Amino acid sequence: MTGPEEHGNQEWYPQEPYQEQPPEYQQPQVYYDAYGQPQQYVQDPYQQQYYQQPQQPQVYYDAYGRPQQYVQDPYQQQPAYQQPAPPPVAPVQPVQVRPVQPVRPPVAEPPVTAVPPQARKAAAPEQDYPTGEFTFVDEEAEQSEDVIDWLKFAESRTERRDERRRKLRNRLLGAGLALVLVAGGTAGYLWWQGDLGGPGSAAVAAGGRTVNVVHLRDLQGKVTSALLVNDQSGRKASVLLLPDGLKLPSSGISATETLGKSLDATGASGTREGLTTVLGAPVAGTWRLDTPYLLLLVAQLGGIKVDTNAAVREGNQPAGKELAPAGKAVSLTAQAAVAYATYQAPGETTDAQLARFGQVLDAVLRVMPTDLKEAQDLVHRVGAVPDPSLPEPALAGVLVQLAQYAKENHLTTGALSVQPDGTLDEATAGKQVKDVLGGTVKNAAAANKVTRVSVLNGSGVDEAANTAGSQITNAGLELLPSGAKAPAQAASEIRYTDDAKLPVAQQLALSLGLKDTAVKKVTTAQNADLVVVLGKDYQAPKPQ
């Protein structure tokens, strides 16, 4: 080194020539390889360049089970799990640094199936592909598997949906079939009971008509009757009032019984049979409507309107409180309706009271509901004990049909014409019965096919009555029980009132061993077709 040179008052020393810093202090240069990965460029002291072999990227799996590439930042320290850098290789020519290319991020696809990564890796074993191609090749394979899994899932879900639809369709069909069966059973029941023209109705023998009888019975036991006729073929309905003096065949001591007493004497069934015989039209059922039930029925309907012809008073007494006046379209409460239906003024016949009952019955039918369910609820709320021939569902069906005709103004009300002796004449009653019921009238006495015989013992021998009774029964005649005795007389008699019974009386005389002169016609009423009065000339047959 040269000595200092003087420069003024200071010493100046020449500086050392500039020397470059050793290579280890130089800032490392970065370049990118063909895959876009940052690499470290190192220059040795002899200006020879080396490059480090790119590290093997670490692979990990994302949340969807797809492999991803792990890239190490060159400016960070090497992780503990990174493999040590390989030794330098032979020197190569300097590599031209390429411009930085952005790394294409992986395309995020929606998850197709919820298969866990462990199951996916077990189902699809890894293959040894180059690092840069691993993502694209495996992604295509996974997409194929995802498509297959999706098709399987969609197919299974479609099958489950179809199965649910098939089960729902079967249930709907079953429910519909059950409803059809219930409706058919109800209709069949009503049809069998006669409300829909079944075998229990008048439709079989009376040209499509259904006939039922209603009996109004007050607290004193007085019975007022009427027929409810549903003429389906004629699209009309009728209320046929029956006078209580109408004679019906009887199975009691008397050959006939009036309608007013028949309900107590022969019961509801016997009364229906008697009406069927006399009118020539089957009567299907009986509606027993006592006044307490009529009171409840009108109350449930909210009252009725009637053209009254008499003032209605409480208890049907002249001095009682007036419930409704006489006039047109008078509103009657339940109590007033019952009082008017049973009212008979002093000096009036029973036909006047029968006509008022017909007015109330007609008004009730005109305000009855036409819906079967509502009618059934109404009949059930009234709480009447129905006759087995006309239970609540069938009675509701009858009332609904009559109410429909009433609202169409196809309902008529009238009284059957009956002669003073209780019989029906062909001229008047015959036409009514044929037009309304489709039947043919027949008198009660002529309707009895079996001759009824009663015995009075006037022979003075107690056992003679029993012996004669056995002979009468063996002759095919009906013996009426009687223990009455007649004054003792010498000659026996067989009395009759109807000329049609004369041949039967003559045959009975032969059976009893009496003379033909014993048969006599009388005009006085008697309780049987033939009355046998045993005299002292009657000889009991000797046992053989």
Side-chain angles (χ1 to χ4, degrees):
M1 178 178 296
T2 63
E5 297 181 1
E6 294 182 1
H7 188 280
N9 293 330
Q10 297 180 356
E11 293 183 356
W12 177 82
Y13 294 88
Q15 296 181 356
E16 295 293 337
Y18 176 77
Q19 295 182 359
E20 295 180 357
Q21 294 180 354
E24 59 268 19
Y25 296 103
Q26 295 180 359
Q27 182 70 20
Q29 299 181 2
V30 179
Y31 73 96
Y32 295 87
D33 60 5
Y35 304 108
Q37 304 296 331
Q39 304 295 331
Q40 185 177 6
Y41 179 82
V42 181
Q43 185 177 11
D44 61 4
Y46 302 97
Q47 300 296 324
Q48 292 183 351
Q49 298 177 352
Y50 296 90
Y51 72 93
Q52 293 182 348
Q53 183 178 1
Q55 298 178 0
Q56 184 71 18
Q58 300 295 323
V59 179
Y60 69 96
Y61 294 88
D62 59 8
Y64 305 112
R66 294 180 295 191
Q68 303 295 333
Q69 187 174 1
Y70 178 82
V71 180
Q72 175 66 34
D73 189 350
Y75 297 99
Q76 295 180 356
Q77 295 182 357
Q78 182 177 1
Y81 60 84
Q82 185 176 1
Q83 298 293 336
V89 296
V92 295
Q93 295 296 328
V95 180
Q96 183 180 1
V97 179
R98 296 182 180 181
V100 178
Q101 297 180 358
V103 179
R104 185 178 65 179
V107 179
E109 297 181 357
V112 180
T113 179
V115 180
Q118 295 78 1
R120 183 178 299 279
K121 289 189 293 185
E126 298 181 358
Q127 300 182 9
D128 189 11
Y129 293 102
T131 304
E133 299 178 359
F134 181 85
T135 301
F136 303 100
V137 176
D138 189 68
E139 182 178 356
E140 182 178 356
E142 287 186 2
Q143 288 181 357
S144 300
E145 293 180 0
D146 292 343
V147 171
I148 295 175
D149 293 341
W150 169 254
L151 292 177
K152 291 182 179 179
F153 173 74
E155 182 179 1
S156 61
R157 187 172 63 176
T158 303
E159 291 178 354
R160 290 195 299 269
R161 186 185 300 112
D162 293 340
E163 181 65 20
R164 288 195 299 268
R165 290 177 178 176
R166 184 163 49 253
K167 290 182 179 180
L168 179 60
R169 183 169 57 253
N170 293 338
R171 291 175 182 174
L172 292 176
L173 291 176
L177 180 60
L179 291 176
V180 170
L181 291 177
V182 171
T186 303
Y189 174 77
L190 295 177
W191 177 82
W192 178 261
Q193 288 294 331
D195 301 323
L196 298 179
S201 70
V204 175
R209 294 176 176 87
T210 304
V211 182
N212 294 277
V213 61
V214 54
H215 298 294
L216 176 66
R217 183 188 180 102
D218 62 12
L219 300 179
Q220 287 73 35
K222 182 180 179 181
V223 177
T224 307
S225 305
L227 294 180
L228 304 177
V229 184
N230 175 23
D231 187 357
Q232 296 180 358
S233 59
R235 297 294 303 170
K236 61 182 180 179
S238 303
V239 176
L240 185 61
L241 303 175
L242 303 177
D244 57 359
L246 175 65
K247 286 188 177 180
L248 303 178
S250 174
S251 58
I253 297 178
S254 176
T256 59
E257 191 66 79
T258 60
L259 177 60
K261 299 179 180 179
S262 178
L263 190 61
D264 293 333
T266 62
S269 177
T271 302
R272 288 197 308 273
E273 294 177 359
L275 290 172
T276 299
T277 301
V278 171
L279 302 176
V283 179
T286 299
W287 182 17
R288 176 75 176 268
L289 185 62
D290 292 358
T291 51
Y293 299 129
L294 177 61
L295 181 72
L296 293 175
L297 178 60
V298 177
Q300 291 291 331
L301 294 174
I304 57 176
K305 289 186 177 182
V306 177
D307 294 338
T308 58
N309 55 18
V312 180
R313 297 185 177 276
E314 188 175 4
N316 286 336
Q317 298 295 327
K321 177 183 177 182
E322 185 178 68
L323 301 177
K328 295 288 186 180
V330 177
S331 297
L332 299 181
T333 63
Q335 183 181 3
V338 173
Y340 186 78
T342 58
Y343 179 68
Q344 180 178 349
E348 289 185 335
T349 62
T350 56
D351 292 341
Q353 181 267 323
L354 178 64
R356 296 188 182 101
F357 169 61
Q359 288 180 286
V360 172
L361 193 57
D362 182 274
V364 166
L365 294 177
R366 293 184 184 277
V367 296
M368 278 290 298
T370 56
D371 182 74
L372 182 59
K373 181 64 171 59
E374 295 181 10
Q376 289 178 347
D377 294 340
L378 176 62
V379 172
H380 182 70
R381 288 195 302 269
V382 169
V385 180
D387 188 87
S389 63
L390 197 62
E392 288 184 359
L395 175 59
V398 170
L399 297 178
V400 164
Q401 292 172 345
L402 295 176
Q404 289 175 347
Y405 289 131
K407 289 178 172 55
E408 297 172 359
N409 292 326
H410 294 163
L411 175 67
T412 58
T413 302
L416 180 65
S417 178
V418 178
Q419 294 181 346
D421 60 354
T423 60
L424 302 175
D425 65 300
E426 293 290 341
T428 306
K431 187 177 184 302
Q432 283 182 300
V433 171
K434 183 178 181 180
D435 294 341
V436 177
L437 304 177
T440 304
V441 299
K442 185 181 297 185
N443 288 323
N448 252 337
K449 297 181 180 179
V450 179
T451 303
R452 302 149 64 87
V453 181
S454 63
V455 178
L456 299 177
N457 189 6
S459 63
V461 180
D462 294 338
E463 295 298 328
N466 295 332
T467 304
S470 300
Q471 291 177 296
I472 293 172
T473 302
N474 294 335
L477 305 179
E478 181 179 357
L479 178 65
L480 299 180
S482 176
K485 293 184 178 181
Q489 58 184 40
S492 300
E493 294 180 355
I494 299 178
R495 302 169 182 173
Y496 69 95
T497 57
D498 187 3
D499 293 339
K501 298 298 181 180
L502 176 59
V504 181
Q506 293 175 344
Q507 184 64 36
L508 180 58
L510 293 177
S511 299
L512 297 176
L514 302 178
K515 300 178 180 180
D516 294 339
T517 56
V519 178
K520 295 181 179 180
K521 182 179 179 178
V522 296
T523 57
T524 58
Q526 52 187 21
N527 62 352
D529 299 327
L530 301 177
V531 176
V532 177
V533 182
L534 298 178
K536 295 181 179 179
D537 60 343
Y538 171 72
Q539 299 292 329
K542 297 180 180 180
Q544 299 179 354

